[in-house]
Amino acid sequence: MSTNLQRRHFSQGLVALAAASATPLLRAAQTLKIGYVSPQTGPLAPFGEADKWVIEQMKAAFKDGITVNGAKHAVEIVLKDSQSNPNRAGEVANDLILKDKVALVLTAGTPETANPVSDACELNEVPCISSVVPWQPWFFGRNGDPKKGFDWTYHLFWGLEDVIGAYTNGWKGLATNKKVGGLFPNDGDGNAWGDKNLGFPKPLQTMGFPLTDPGRFQSGTQDFSAQISAFKRDGVEIVTGVVIPPDAKTFLTQARQQGFKPKVITLGKALLFPSAIEALGDLGIGLTTEVWWSPSHPFTSSLTKQSAKALADSYEAGTKKQWTQPIGFAHALFEVASNALSRSKSLKPADVRDAVAATSINSVVGPVKWGGQGPMKNVSKTPLVFGQWVKGQQRKVDLVIVNNGSATNIPTGGAMSLLQ
């Protein structure tokens, strides 16, 4: 073979090699990555139970990509498990930002996940949208300054003022002595709900519901004797608080064993999920909790055009499981992400952030708009009503909305009854 021919073959080989190596780089440049962090395992896993199903739904919704400023991008959703651990949540958020190079981070599922993820995004200057945390523990739990707010992190959910309003609306008019006992653990939610200024104590007292607060306890405790003793001593007939499902079961079992029979038990977090209520057996019937989303909510997805009922029905048909409240908010996070990315000037972090901040949509959880629909520029509030667990006609348990005083556009399905 002549030297010229060898050179020609060598040059052609370089061109072919360059072309082959450029192709995946080109594909990578065209892919838009969205990160998602939630508790897939651990004690908070019920909050993330629906996420994989929602993400599969989003893969179908994004199959044709998202167009950003005229350029179409394939979409890849990267799900990370916080393992119900705040340190782990922060670690995987950093992985999404630094290794996966995501354009936007979504996160949900109590302060133990959403707060460290939001902090990582704020520190690394990457836009983040969070949910399923009352706004006070999300904002003040991260040392937020009301005058400044945050630069990169945006939140959609209700606040403590809303859950206090929903609970007391449900309790008013019931035949109780209005004496309330509080179960507030030593975690992000418990410290916020039990805070004397920001939490339950002051408004309950103002509304004529005196509160007995025996103090903070560690989640996972095996002994609620001190709390039960304090409640019995003060004649408590209403128990409220925010605990994880295992703690609710321990408390309810020990209360029955020790002869403490309140007329109303209203707990946040622990009583949100049908699986948790079923695990309680007859102890679960009649318990009450807040309802942030349900099939009867009168809202429609801006992305898939499904009503709340259609979304819940689709989940049940696809998973053979009963609908749960986080479905709506996981879906809504992607609604906001899709809407913001399609309006962004580019995939530069600041442009995506600015598009998120300018969001104004009607989602499957209600209107979402920052800078005017919440107490802080980074918070958009969503509606809240009051529900009670009853024996189901077609399934073991059903969550019925029994008071809508805080959001009258959401229909009720029955009246509240006292515990037997």
Side-chain angles (χ1 to χ4, degrees), residues 127-183:
C128 175
I129 310 166
S130 55
S131 190
V132 191
V133 183
W135 72 260
Q136 287 93 337
W138 177 82
F139 190 88
F140 294 112
R142 300 173 54 221
N143 299 312
D145 181 343
K147 294 180 181 177
K148 297 178 181 177
F150 295 108
D151 292 325
W152 295 91
T153 50
Y154 289 80
H155 192 68
L156 59 121
F157 211 51
W158 41 265
L160 295 182
E161 68 279 15
D162 303 303
V163 76
I164 292 167
Y167 284 10
T168 52
N169 282 337
W171 300 339
K172 290 172 185 174
L174 298 176
T176 73
N177 62 7
K178 293 192 172 184
K179 292 183 178 180
V180 181
L183 293 174

Side-chain angles (χ1 to χ4, degrees), residues 227-248:
Q227 288 85 357
I228 293 167
S229 177
F231 297 163
K232 290 169 75 173
R233 179 197 67 213
D234 291 351
V236 163
E237 291 188 349
I238 302 171
V239 173
T240 195
V242 55
V243 299
I244 59 176
D247 288 356

Side-chain angles (χ1 to χ4, degrees), residues 129-396:
I129 310 166
S130 55
S131 190
V132 191
V133 183
W135 72 260
Q136 287 93 337
W138 177 82
F139 190 88
F140 294 112
R142 300 173 54 221
N143 299 312
D145 181 343
K147 294 180 181 177
K148 297 178 181 177
F150 295 108
D151 292 325
W152 295 91
T153 50
Y154 289 80
H155 192 68
L156 59 121
F157 211 51
W158 41 265
L160 295 182
E161 68 279 15
D162 303 303
V163 76
I164 292 167
Y167 284 10
T168 52
N169 282 337
W171 300 339
K172 290 172 185 174
L174 298 176
T176 73
N177 62 7
K178 293 192 172 184
K179 292 183 178 180
V180 181
L183 293 174
F184 304 122
N186 184 24
D187 64 14
D189 277 328
N191 289 324
W193 289 46
D195 187 279
K196 290 183 179 179
N197 295 312
L198 296 174
F200 274 60
K202 186 181 288 185
L204 288 189
Q205 185 69 39
T206 301
M207 288 186 273
F209 291 94
L211 176 71
T212 295
D213 180 0
R216 305 297 155 263
F217 58 90
Q218 293 305 313
S219 293
T221 185
Q222 297 301 306
D223 187 3
F224 282 95
S225 298
Q227 288 85 357
I228 293 167
S229 177
F231 297 163
K232 290 169 75 173
R233 179 197 67 213
D234 291 351
V236 163
E237 291 188 349
I238 302 171
V239 173
T240 195
V242 55
V243 299
I244 59 176
D247 288 356
K249 187 168 187 177
T250 302
F251 171 80
L252 291 165
T253 301
Q254 293 179 0
R256 176 170 288 189
Q257 290 168 346
Q258 296 175 32
F260 174 53
K261 288 188 171 183
K263 294 181 177 181
V264 178
I265 297 177
T266 304
L267 297 174
K269 192 181 286 188
L271 308 183
L272 296 170
F273 310 105
S275 58
I277 301 301
E278 289 178 20
L280 291 171
D282 64 343
L283 288 173
I285 303 303
L287 301 180
T288 43
T289 193
E290 72 272 13
V291 183
W292 2 301
W293 184 81
S294 77
S296 58
H297 275 51
F299 306 124
T300 300
S301 167
S302 62
L303 187 58
T304 64
K305 310 307 178 188
Q306 290 168 295
S307 65
K309 185 178 187 307
L311 182 61
D313 288 347
S314 180
Y315 174 82
E316 292 189 340
T319 65
K320 309 305 179 190
K321 294 180 180 179
Q322 193 166 343
W323 67 270
T324 66
Q325 298 195 45
I327 297 167
F329 281 85
H331 184 100
L333 285 173
F334 283 103
E335 286 186 71
V336 177
S338 175
N339 179 271
L341 288 164
S342 66
R343 288 184 288 101
S344 183
K345 295 178 181 177
S346 76
L347 289 180
K348 292 179 181 177
D351 286 339
V352 175
R353 184 269 317 272
D354 291 348
V356 170
T359 296
S360 179
I361 64 170
N362 291 317
S363 79
V364 79
V365 300
V368 178
K369 182 178 182 179
W370 284 286
Q373 193 169 296
M376 311 287 173
K377 72 170 187 176
N378 305 87
V379 175
S380 178
K381 293 221 301 181
T382 56
L384 195 65
V385 289
F386 190 70
Q388 183 167 39
W389 288 100
V390 301
K391 286 184 178 179
Q393 295 180 340
Q394 297 178 325
R395 43 199 171 193
K396 292 181 180 178

